[in-house]
Amino acid sequence: MDCLVWILCAYGCSQILVYGKIFEKPKERLLNYGLHCGIGIRWTITNFIHSALDCMMCCGTWVGFFLSTIYSPTATHIGCPAWLSWLLDGAFSSGGVWLLNVAANRLDTTE
């Protein structure tokens, strides 16, 4: 049950970060800042962050990494080392968020 709650939290956070109106302006500013920096390390970092905040699967991975610092379902249920549970939580979150997003999109498009 705790895994389901954890995935739902990851989905909610990802949904807010990717589709939330509150993050439209900061994401737009970040993209504009990256475009004005020219090609270089700043452009690479801002482009990476903007891309991660536009993709549910990418955002779900990073949200999973963050949530893993609060609670790790893989460390709790499997008992693996911290570095491995961090990676597995990112993958678990990415897959769960993607699956819920696909299901929500399918339900949204059916009439």
Side-chain angles (χ1 to χ4, degrees), residues 2-63:
D2 58 340
C3 289
L4 179 62
V5 171
W6 193 82
I7 285 292
L8 289 174
C9 287
Y11 176 72
C13 291
S14 298
Q15 186 78 11
I16 291 168
L17 287 169
V18 173
Y19 297 121
K21 285 195 179 276
I22 194 167
F23 288 106
E24 282 180 5
K25 290 280 187 192
K27 287 193 303 186
E28 186 179 310
R29 286 186 190 136
L30 182 69
L31 184 61
N32 289 335
Y33 174 74
L35 291 174
H36 294 305
C37 288
I39 301 297
I41 190 72
R42 281 192 227 158
W43 179 83
T44 304
I45 292 170
T46 55
N47 190 36
F48 174 78
I49 293 170
H50 186 268
S51 297
L53 292 176
D54 265 357
C55 165
M56 279 298 275
M57 187 176 277
C58 304
C59 190
T61 302
W62 290 101
V63 167

Side-chain angles (χ1 to χ4, degrees), residues 6 64-76 78-91:
W6 193 82
F65 291 155
F66 173 74
L67 288 178
S68 182
T69 63
I70 299 168
Y71 173 74
S72 174
T74 57
T76 304
I78 299 173
C80 54
W83 65 270
L84 183 59
S85 69
W86 186 72
L87 291 172
L88 292 175
D89 286 339

